[in-house]
Amino acid sequence: MKPSELLEDPGAWCQEWQAKTATDIGCPVGVDMAVKWSIDGALDRCTDTDDEHTAAIKAVCTALGKPGWGVEQLEVWNDDPDTTHKDVIEVLRKAGL
């Protein structure tokens, strides 16, 4: 599954944690009770290796026009109150993810 597919429903995206439960409690990305993910959480959930995750981060940052950014800056962007679900889906699709 692609990250854009995982986050397709607006209720599947979150801020402030990489993943959350249905009751908005932060949790690890890969646990069964995770039902919401940040952009980085979705990238982590949908990649199998550290190299794939790193490549996905680079692709998203490049799609944002910020090729020098890393995971920390991407997390700040995800958590910015002005960042919307639509923004996240658009950048993931632009990155081919």
Side-chain angles (χ1 to χ4, degrees), residues 7 13-14 17-19 36-43 78-79:
L7 298 179
W13 175 63
C14 69
W17 286 87
Q18 280 193 309
K36 304 174 184 185
W37 298 267
S38 67
I39 192 168
D40 180 45
L43 295 173
N78 180 89
D79 294 346

